[in-house]
């Protein structure tokens, strides 16, 4: 191997792996990390012409730098998309042709000269081969849904169009250095302007460096059929495996802070996977002002204006186009939820999607509140949805410690003690302190008064009290009639006006604010306009420079420090205007259906519950009446009622009715083919995720009573059974898991329904899995009654649960073996997922290696739900690169288990690939050896297969397994049932 090849192959392989990762998705991250270390380069050949062209060290260095640059990532992703079009040959060939031409001009501009065209074509061919090899590793291409296929074709068309534009731009580009200088200068300005975060405090507004306060939140992949287990990620890591990200979170959950932090980190070069990128932050409430009308701006026009203000840099001609076409720009759209007008939000969504289509390789991040997002969603085939998690106890502790260190009003000697005291005193409101905004406000309240608010309205009200009390103290006023009562009224009216007119956080001018405040003071407190105006000016001057409820947000522009403060004051005004349940419900009903008013409505309900006897009970009763009457196919109103259980404690009859209506709805929404639909799932998640500790016993008892009634009527009602006993297994948004209450609730139900569960074991694999994991039956009995499918199936009524037994069991075995490798003997027993007697590796090997080969019939059904296991088979099923076949006996047992479990997954992958070669026996061998050894040596598949069988299954005790593997590799045995109609035929056979 020449020096050129030695240097170039790893660079090409690395760039290819990055592109493949972005089509493989998050489920592939771990497998890809291991795979990047493998010898992909051995399967590639660099032609001699390329060697000669880049033999000069300086020229080779420039070429290597190119494959480390964002431009190479751009091409890798585009070529990987072409791989996905394997069954649309015309589109794939056309796209690759455009990319090859674009690649020539891109590399020529990078090298500063025009190399021979034939050399560039050969180099692009090698790069394309590397990307295709990586893509085959992480993705399958056949039998996808029509919507996904249509999206891929549309993406290819966008890529082809962008490629033509970029080639034309590069061909005539003479100021590339100017663009580079612009990028460096703009990044420097972004770092300077976004290098700190606000600290809400009763004193003056403070900006503090991120490392002094910021706590990195968790991002979770919500339940879907594309992932075998809940996973959390850092935003930088997520960008590595997907090009388009949607972040959903709760109010005050830190979405905007995260967007600003990402902007800073990208510009500062702190995200290793995205170096040399320039971030562009778009505040959507501001862009919405120019998305339509006479002053309409495209996204790129708006971004060009943003470069000039606030960053004071004019972009050179075609600079933004170059950055977005060559993967050097990242666009962050913050605050989709702040557009309360649904039609305006649709316009903005359309603009974002148009931008994404125009620049198909440009990474894009969008943030929005979770509730209400579905009213105008982004294309789900384009954007990967992530849930912004709540703070864990560890994150709360870290944030609180940092917060009190920053409060100058606290003496140094008190800070450590105050931190400990706050963490202890706030334990009873863990749901509040898990929200970053509320946690910060609670720290401020505790620092001032050693007081912990008990609910959200209490937090906001206390903040307002502190504002007015401090103002009165500063003015030296001690009045029996608090002056702030009248200013509160002005703020309430102002908040409702801003909220209903959708001006949100844009702020209002000082003149308008003075008019609101003075008008109230004139009618309530003062005798003449002059005194009222003077007092209003004093109040506004006091707010200026302070980040506590109301503050200045620009030059003579004022607004609420956070959207939630505006929502709180708007809610208090609404309850004053509609002081009873019927009036308030009538006003809110049309807003509740759209979910845009969810926070305001929930606050209204809490305030009504506090100020009116039975106010919340009557409101929820009216809401359930309306739902039953008019919303048989929707769940918006019902989910609001379920979420209300987090904030209010209704009387028992109302709780019981919420439970009954919810069960009615979920049973009605069940579909034989697909299980519970999305709306039914959301209702269940709302109950589990939202119900407060005070309400859990009542709602739990009501749900149990109703579900037992359903099972008494029909013991085969496995929807009711699954909701009764499998609740802790059901995956939830945001990476959250059921609380200990719901786990205990399900375990108690399992005891009460044990006879029903035992009868269903022979009919439902998930019931057998549950029975094994809870210790009702032994693993051997589960296999005897359900066969191998016990180890693969993990769906309950169409709902994704925790990963199947095979995945979790082998992950646990591998973790334990690897953690003790080279130190001590690995453990013989594993029991993390089995409630009965611990199972030894020998027990599991006896079932899988010795009994599976005796099983008559298919092991598992052909289903897209195997995709996650296929994607992670080499990483999660225990066969990993670097694991020598000459290993200790115990580890060899794990490898044997993994090899057998992988067989139907390999077959599934072969079927989905629908490869053109007729020799599918060879394909099975190749993929099987790839899983077992990580090698890409295609021609060595026969030899490696014999090595594997000889090393792992040499003992005569494994003759049954060896015979099965040989017959399976010869395509004489199928381990899948219900294959798609178009099947792969063995060589020499034709379809009858």
């Amino acid at each position: 191997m020449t020096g050129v090849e030695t240097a170039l192959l790893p660079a090409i392989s690395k760039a290819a792996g990055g592109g493949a990762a972005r089509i493989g998705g998050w489920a592939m991250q771990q497998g890809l990390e291991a795979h990047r270390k493998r010898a992909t380069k051995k399967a590639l050949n660099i032609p001699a012409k390329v060697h000669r062209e880049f033999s000069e060290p300086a020229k080779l260095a420039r070429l290597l730098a190119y494959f480390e640059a964002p431009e190479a990532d751009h091409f890798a992703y585009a070529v990987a998309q072409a791989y996905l079009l394997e069954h649309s040959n015309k589109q794939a060939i056309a796209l690759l042709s455009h990319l090859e031409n674009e690649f020539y001009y891109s590399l020529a501009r990078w090298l500063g000269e025009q190399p021979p065209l034939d050399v560039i074509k050969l180099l692009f061919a090698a790069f394309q081969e590397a990307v295709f090899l990586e893509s085959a590793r992480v993705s399958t291409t056949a039998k996808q849904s029509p919507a996904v296929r249509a999206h891929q074709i549309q993406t290819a068309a966008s890529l082809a169009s962008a490629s033509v534009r970029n080639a034309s731009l590069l061909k005539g580009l003479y100021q590339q250095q100017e663009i580079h200088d612009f990028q460096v200068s703009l990044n420097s300005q972004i770092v300077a302007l976004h290098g700190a975060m606000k600290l809400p405090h009763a004193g003056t507004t403070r900006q503090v460096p991120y490392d002094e306060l910021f706590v990195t939140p968790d991002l979770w992949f919500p339940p879907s059929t594309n992932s075998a287990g809940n996973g959390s990620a850092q935003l930088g890591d997520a960008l590595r495996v997907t090009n388009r990200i949607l972040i959903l979170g709760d109010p005050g959950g830190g979405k905007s802070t995260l967007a600003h932090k990402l902007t800073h980190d990208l510009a500062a070069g702190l995200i290793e996977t995205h170096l040399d990128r320039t971030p562009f932050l778009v505040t959507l409430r501001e862009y919405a002002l120019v998305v339509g009308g006479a002053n309409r701006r495209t996204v790129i026009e708006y971004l060009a204006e943003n470069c000039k203000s606030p960053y004071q840099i004019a972009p050179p001609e075609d600079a933004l186009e170059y950055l977005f076409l060559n993967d050097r720009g990242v666009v962050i759209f913050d605050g989709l939820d702040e557009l309360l007008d649904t039609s305006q939000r649709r316009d903005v969504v359309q603009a974002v999607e148009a931008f994404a289509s125009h620049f198909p390789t440009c990474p894009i991040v969008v943030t929005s509140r979770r509730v209400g997002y579905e009213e105008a969603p982004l294309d789900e085939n384009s954007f990967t949805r992530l849930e912004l998690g709540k703070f864990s106890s560890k994150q709360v502790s870290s944030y609180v410690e940092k917060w009190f260190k920053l409060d100058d009003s606290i003496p140094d000697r008190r800070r450590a003690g105050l931190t400990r005291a706050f963490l202890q005193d706030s334990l009873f409101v863990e749901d509040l302190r898990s929200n970053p905004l509320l946690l910060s406000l609670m720290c401020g309240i505790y620092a001032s008064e050693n007081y912990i608010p008990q609910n959200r309205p209490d937090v906001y009200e206390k903040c307002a009290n502190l504002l007015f009390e401090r103002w009165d103290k500063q003015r030296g006023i001690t009045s029996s009639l608090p002056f702030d009562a009248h200013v509160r009224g002005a703020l309430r009216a102002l908040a409702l006006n801003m909220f209903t007119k959708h001006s949100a956080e844009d702020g209002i001018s000082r003149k308008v604010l003075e008019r609101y405040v003075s008008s109230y003071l004139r009618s309530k407190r003062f005798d003449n306009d002059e005194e009222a105006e003077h007092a209003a000016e004093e109040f506004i001057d006091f707010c200026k420079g302070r980040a506590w409820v109301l503050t200045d947000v620009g030059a003579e522009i004022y607004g609420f420090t956070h959207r939630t403060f505006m929502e709180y004051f708007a809610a208090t005004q609404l309850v004053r205007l509609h002081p009873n349940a019927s009036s308030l419900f009538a006003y809110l009903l049309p807003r509740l259906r759209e979910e845009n008013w969810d926070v305001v409505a929930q606050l209204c309900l809490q305030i009504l519950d506090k100020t009116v006897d039975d106010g919340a009970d009557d409101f929820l009763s009216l809401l359930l009446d309306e739902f039953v009457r008019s919303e048989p196919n929707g769940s918006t109103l019902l989910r609001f009622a379920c979420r209300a259980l987090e904030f209010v404690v209704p009387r028992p009859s109302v709780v019981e009715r919420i439970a009954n209506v919810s069960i009615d709805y979920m049973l009605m929404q069940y579909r034989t083919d697909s299980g519970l639909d999305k709306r039914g799932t959301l209702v269940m998640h709302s109950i589990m995720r939202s119900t407060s500790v005070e309400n859990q016993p009542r709602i739990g008892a009501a749900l149990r009573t109703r579900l037992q009634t359903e099972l008494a009527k029909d013991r085969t009602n496995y929807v009711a059974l699954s909701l009764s006993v499998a609740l802790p297994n059901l995956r939830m948004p945001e990476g959250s898991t059921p609380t200990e209450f719901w786990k205990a609730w399900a375990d108690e139900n399992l005891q009460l329904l044990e006879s029903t569960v035992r009868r269903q074991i022979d009919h439902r694999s998930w019931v057998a899995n549950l029975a094994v994991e809870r210790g009702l039956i032994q693993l051997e009995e589960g296999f005897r009654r359900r066969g191998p499918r016990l180890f693969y199936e993990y769906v309950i009524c169409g709902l994704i649960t925790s990963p199947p037994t095979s995945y979790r069991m082998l992950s646990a075995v591998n973790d334990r073996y690897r953690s003790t490798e080279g130190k001590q003997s690995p453990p013989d027993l594993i029991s993390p997922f089995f409630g009965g007697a611990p199972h030894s590796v020998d027990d599991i090997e006896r079932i899988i290696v010795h009994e599976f080969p005796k099983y008559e019939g298919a092991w598992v059904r052909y289903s897209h739900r195997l995709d996650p296991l296929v994607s992670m088979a080499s990483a999660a099923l225990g066969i990993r690169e670097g694991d020598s076949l000459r290993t200790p006996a115990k580890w060899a047992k794990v490898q044997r288990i993994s090899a057998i479990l992988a067989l139907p997954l390999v077959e599934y992958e072969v079927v989905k690939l629908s490869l053109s070669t007729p020799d599918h026996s060879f394909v099975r061998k190749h993929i099987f050896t790839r899983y077992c050894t990580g090698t890409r040596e295609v021609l060595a598949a026969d030899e490696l297969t014999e090595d594997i069988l000889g090393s792992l299954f040499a003992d005569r005790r494994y003759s049954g397994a060896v015979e099965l593997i040989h017959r399976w590799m010869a395509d004489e045995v199928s381990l899948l049932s219900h294959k798609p109609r178009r099947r792969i035929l063995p060589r020499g056979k034709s379809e009858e």
Side-chain angles (χ1 to χ4, degrees):
M1 183 179 291
T2 68
V4 172
E5 198 165 26
T6 301
L8 192 54
L9 284 176
I12 290 178
S13 179
K14 182 179 179 182
R22 287 154 76 179
I23 67 163
W26 178 255
M28 276 307 304
Q29 185 190 15
Q30 290 181 330
L32 183 64
E33 285 303 310
H35 177 60
R36 280 178 176 169
K37 302 174 183 177
R38 294 175 176 146
T40 302
K41 55 180 180 287
K42 293 181 182 178
L44 298 177
N45 291 307
I46 303 298
K49 282 187 176 182
V50 177
H51 293 195
R52 291 192 295 270
E53 179 66 27
F54 294 98
S55 59
E56 182 187 338
K59 196 171 185 179
L60 176 60
R62 291 199 299 273
L63 180 62
L64 294 176
Y66 180 83
F67 282 107
E68 293 283 342
E71 282 80 356
D73 287 342
H74 156 74
F75 283 107
Y77 174 69
V79 171
Q81 287 290 342
Y83 170 83
L84 294 179
L85 292 169
E86 189 176 37
H87 296 284
S88 303
N89 288 332
K90 289 184 179 180
Q91 289 92 337
I93 292 171
L95 174 57
L96 289 171
S97 176
H98 290 305
L99 291 173
E100 183 183 69
N101 185 52
E102 180 191 2
F103 182 79
Y104 174 79
Y105 288 110
S106 176
L107 188 56
R109 283 285 170 259
W110 183 273
L111 297 174
E113 61 183 71
Q114 294 197 358
L117 180 60
D118 59 340
V119 172
I120 298 302
K121 285 188 174 184
L122 290 171
L123 186 59
F124 182 76
F127 182 60
Q128 175 188 321
E129 183 183 2
V131 174
F132 274 27
L133 284 169
E134 294 287 352
S135 299
R137 179 72 181 172
V138 304
S139 178
T140 55
T141 60
K143 305 304 175 187
Q144 292 155 327
S145 69
V148 172
R149 299 296 298 163
H151 173 71
Q152 289 173 353
I153 293 173
Q154 182 182 8
T155 299
S158 298
L159 285 165
S161 174
S163 181
V164 171
R165 297 198 321 272
N166 197 31
S168 176
L169 186 152
L170 292 168
K171 186 177 180 180
L173 189 64
Y174 299 103
Q175 70 277 17
Q176 191 166 4
Q177 185 60 46
E178 186 181 359
I179 292 177
H180 173 75
D181 293 341
F182 160 74
Q183 187 178 6
V184 171
S185 298
L186 183 58
N187 279 347
S188 178
Q189 285 291 85
I190 291 170
V191 170
L193 267 67
H194 296 279
M197 60 185 294
K198 290 182 179 179
L199 172 66
H201 196 274
T204 58
T205 301
R206 290 187 61 187
Q207 297 275 346
V208 298
Y210 283 105
D211 59 358
E212 292 186 16
L213 183 62
F214 185 78
V215 173
T216 303
D218 292 322
L219 290 170
W220 296 90
F221 289 81
S224 72
T225 58
N226 297 322
S227 175
N230 272 351
S232 64
Q234 300 301 317
L235 190 48
D237 293 333
L239 279 170
R240 174 169 49 182
V241 294
T242 180
N243 234 23
R244 305 283 153 79
I245 294 176
L246 166 68
I247 299 175
L248 298 179
D250 291 328
K255 300 180 295 297
S256 292
T257 301
L258 184 62
H260 283 260
K261 178 70 161 51
L262 175 64
T263 301
H264 170 269
D265 289 355
L266 284 168
L270 299 178
I271 298 180
E272 292 185 4
T273 59
H274 283 69
L275 300 175
D276 297 321
R277 265 69 166 193
T278 297
F280 293 83
L281 180 64
V282 180
T283 303
L284 286 176
R285 68 173 182 272
E286 297 174 358
Y287 175 64
L289 300 176
V290 296
V291 74
N295 296 321
R296 182 170 188 158
R297 299 283 189 278
T298 65
V299 172
I300 197 167
E301 288 171 342
Y302 179 80
L303 292 175
E305 292 176 357
N306 269 15
C307 291
K308 299 174 185 177
S309 176
Y311 302 117
Q312 303 300 309
I313 299 176
E317 183 179 1
D318 295 327
L320 298 189
E321 189 92 0
Y322 175 85
L323 295 180
F324 298 141
L325 284 172
N326 291 277
D327 210 358
R328 285 186 168 270
V330 179
V331 183
I332 303 157
F333 295 98
D334 181 38
L336 186 60
D337 58 281
E338 294 178 12
L339 311 176
L340 298 182
D341 187 325
T342 304
S343 62
Q344 186 184 53
R345 193 189 308 175
R346 290 194 183 101
D347 289 341
V348 170
V349 166
Q350 187 177 25
V352 171
E353 291 180 341
F355 178 85
S357 177
H358 198 61
F359 300 103
T361 64
C362 175
I364 295 174
V365 177
V366 182
T367 72
S368 176
R369 286 185 182 179
R370 181 183 299 106
V371 176
Y373 164 76
E374 297 294 344
E375 295 299 317
L378 292 158
D379 181 4
E380 62 180 8
N381 290 318
S382 298
F383 286 83
T384 298
R385 183 180 300 198
L386 301 180
E387 303 273 353
L388 185 60
K390 296 180 178 180
F391 271 179
S392 64
S393 296
K394 184 176 180 180
Q395 289 166 324
V396 168
S397 297
S398 176
Y399 186 91
V400 170
E401 183 178 352
K402 290 182 175 183
W403 197 99
F404 282 112
K405 283 182 180 178
L406 292 170
D407 191 340
D408 295 335
S409 65
I410 304 173
D412 291 344
R413 63 182 183 278
R414 288 191 57 224
R415 289 178 182 173
L418 200 59
T419 299
R420 289 192 298 269
F422 175 86
L423 291 172
Q424 180 63 39
D425 292 349
S426 62
L427 279 173
F428 75 100
V429 286
E430 284 191 282
D431 59 325
L432 290 185
R433 72 179 194 177
S434 65
N435 179 284
L437 172 67
L438 294 178
L439 177 60
S440 181
L441 297 175
M442 289 166 66
C443 286
I445 295 170
Y446 196 80
S448 299
E449 303 199 354
N450 279 18
Y451 170 76
I452 299 291
Q454 299 184 20
N455 53 53
R456 288 172 185 258
D458 196 15
V459 174
Y460 303 140
E461 183 177 358
K462 195 63 183 175
C463 289
N465 287 341
L466 285 176
L467 169 70
F468 296 123
E469 287 170 8
R470 293 184 179 220
W471 182 40
D472 280 345
K473 288 179 181 178
Q474 179 170 308
R475 298 173 72 237
I477 293 175
T478 54
S479 171
S480 58
L481 178 61
F483 182 81
D484 70 88
H486 308 307
V487 180
R488 279 180 193 270
L491 290 183
R492 285 195 296 263
L494 175 66
L496 184 59
N497 181 274
M498 292 176 66
F499 186 78
T500 55
K501 290 186 177 180
H502 312 311
S503 55
E505 294 178 0
D506 293 337
I508 59 174
S509 68
R510 179 177 178 116
K511 287 185 177 180
V512 174
L513 182 57
E514 286 178 356
R515 185 166 64 249
Y516 262 96
V517 177
S518 63
S519 175
Y520 262 80
L521 295 181
R522 176 68 177 86
S523 61
K524 301 292 185 180
R525 178 70 180 261
F526 293 98
D527 296 329
N528 59 71
D529 294 340
E530 186 176 350
E531 289 182 351
E533 291 171 2
H534 180 69
E537 290 174 0
E538 280 189 342
F539 175 73
I540 295 169
D541 287 337
F542 174 81
C543 291
K544 187 173 183 177
R546 287 176 166 78
W548 198 258
V549 182
L550 190 73
T551 190
D552 51 326
V553 296
E556 295 300 302
I557 300 296
Y558 289 78
F560 292 91
T561 56
H562 194 277
R563 180 183 176 83
T564 51
F565 277 116
M566 178 179 63
E567 290 167 328
Y568 166 71
F569 280 108
T572 58
Q573 180 70 355
L574 281 173
V575 175
R576 289 174 66 87
L577 296 175
H578 304 279
N580 57 69
S582 59
S583 175
L584 185 62
F585 178 73
Y587 178 84
L588 289 177
L589 178 59
R591 284 89 178 171
L592 288 174
R593 293 192 191 281
E594 295 184 0
E595 292 191 308
N596 289 335
W597 281 46
D598 186 76
V599 174
V600 168
Q602 290 286 3
L603 288 168
C604 284
L605 184 62
Q606 294 172 73
I607 296 168
L608 186 71
D609 185 52
K610 183 178 180 180
T611 57
V612 178
D613 288 343
D614 298 326
D617 293 331
D618 295 342
F619 186 98
L620 290 173
S621 296
L622 290 168
L623 184 143
L624 292 171
D625 289 342
E626 180 65 23
F627 170 76
V628 172
R629 184 185 67 80
S630 65
E631 224 178 60
N633 294 318
S635 63
T636 303
L637 297 181
L638 178 57
R639 283 186 283 117
F640 179 90
C642 294
R643 288 195 300 274
L645 294 175
E646 180 180 358
F647 306 115
V648 298
V649 182
R651 58 176 174 256
S653 60
V654 176
V655 173
E656 182 179 351
R657 192 174 179 207
I658 291 175
N660 286 328
V661 172
S662 297
I663 296 296
D664 285 339
Y665 182 78
M666 284 187 277
L667 293 177
M668 181 185 71
Q669 291 300 324
Y670 175 74
R671 298 290 182 266
T672 302
D673 293 333
S674 58
L676 284 172
D677 73 352
K678 182 177 181 180
R679 293 166 296 183
T681 304
L682 289 173
V683 169
M684 181 175 55
H685 287 158
S686 296
I687 293 175
M688 291 179 57
R689 184 175 180 272
S690 301
T691 305
S692 66
V693 174
E694 294 88 346
N695 284 318
Q696 283 175 351
R698 287 179 177 175
I699 193 72
L703 288 171
R704 175 179 292 144
T705 299
R706 175 58 192 279
L707 290 169
Q708 287 180 334
T709 300
E710 293 297 324
L711 287 167
K713 289 189 270 184
D714 179 7
R715 291 189 175 184
T716 65
N717 187 338
Y718 63 94
V719 181
L721 182 63
S722 69
L723 295 174
S724 299
V725 301
L727 213 55
N729 296 76
L730 297 175
R731 292 181 54 204
M732 300 173 64
E734 198 189 285
S736 56
T737 57
T739 64
E740 291 302 319
F741 170 84
W742 291 112
K743 292 177 183 178
W745 180 86
D747 286 341
E748 187 174 343
N749 288 341
L750 184 64
Q751 296 175 13
L752 295 171
L753 299 170
E754 181 176 340
S755 60
T756 302
V757 171
R758 289 184 178 277
R759 276 191 292 269
Q760 288 294 316
I761 289 174
D762 293 328
H763 305 286
R764 306 287 172 187
S765 290
W766 71 262
V767 178
N769 253 306
L770 184 71
V772 169
E773 295 187 7
R774 295 294 190 274
L776 293 183
I777 61 174
Q778 292 297 306
L779 185 62
E780 292 83 350
E781 182 182 350
F783 171 75
R784 178 177 58 79
R785 297 176 69 172
R786 294 302 298 164
R789 70 178 58 185
L790 174 74
F791 291 81
Y792 295 96
E793 296 184 359
Y794 60 110
V795 176
I796 301 177
C797 296
L799 301 177
I800 301 300
T801 68
S802 51
T805 302
S806 59
Y807 174 88
R808 289 184 288 160
M809 179 181 65
L810 288 170
S811 293
V813 173
N814 289 334
D815 288 344
R816 293 190 177 198
Y817 271 68
R818 291 178 183 280
S819 65
T820 59
E821 187 175 358
K823 300 177 183 177
Q824 59 186 29
S825 298
D828 287 320
L829 301 179
I830 59 170
S831 57
F833 305 110
F834 302 98
H839 291 70
S840 70
V841 175
D842 288 338
D843 292 336
I844 298 168
E845 184 192 44
R846 184 175 61 254
I847 293 173
I848 294 175
V849 180
H850 295 285
E851 299 300 325
F852 271 35
K854 300 177 185 177
Y855 186 80
E856 295 292 334
W859 291 4
V860 66
R861 291 177 298 174
Y862 180 95
S863 168
H864 69 280
R865 299 194 191 283
L866 291 177
D867 277 329
L869 295 185
V870 169
S871 297
M872 292 182 284
S874 62
L877 291 182
I879 314 174
R880 306 186 186 184
E881 188 270 337
D883 299 328
S884 170
L885 297 179
R886 296 182 297 276
T887 51
K890 291 179 182 178
W891 179 238
K893 292 176 183 179
V894 177
Q895 288 187 298
R896 281 191 286 273
I897 294 169
S898 300
I900 298 298
L901 283 172
L903 293 178
L905 303 179
V906 171
E907 183 178 347
Y908 173 77
E909 186 171 1
V910 173
V911 173
K912 286 199 71 178
L913 282 171
S914 297
L915 298 171
S916 57
T917 173
D919 192 351
H920 296 290
S921 170
F922 173 78
V923 176
R924 285 190 181 189
K925 290 180 183 179
H926 169 53
I927 297 179
F928 179 75
T929 56
R930 188 187 73 192
Y931 279 6
C932 290
T933 65
T935 184
R936 289 286 185 178
E937 294 287 358
V938 177
L939 297 179
D942 288 316
E943 181 182 344
L944 287 171
T945 299
E946 294 307 315
D947 284 347
I948 293 168
L949 296 180
S951 299
L952 291 179
F953 298 94
D955 195 296
R956 285 182 298 174
R957 292 176 299 164
Y958 305 118
S959 59
V962 173
E963 181 183 358
L964 169 69
I965 294 173
H966 276 300
R967 293 183 62 209
W968 175 83
M969 286 186 174
D971 205 9
E972 297 173 1
V973 173
S974 174
L975 303 177
L976 294 176
S977 64
H978 305 297
K979 289 184 183 178
R981 187 169 298 175
R982 179 184 176 185
R983 61 185 298 270
I984 296 175
L985 299 172
R987 178 160 42 180
K989 294 186 179 182
S990 60
E991 217 152 353
E992 297 293 338

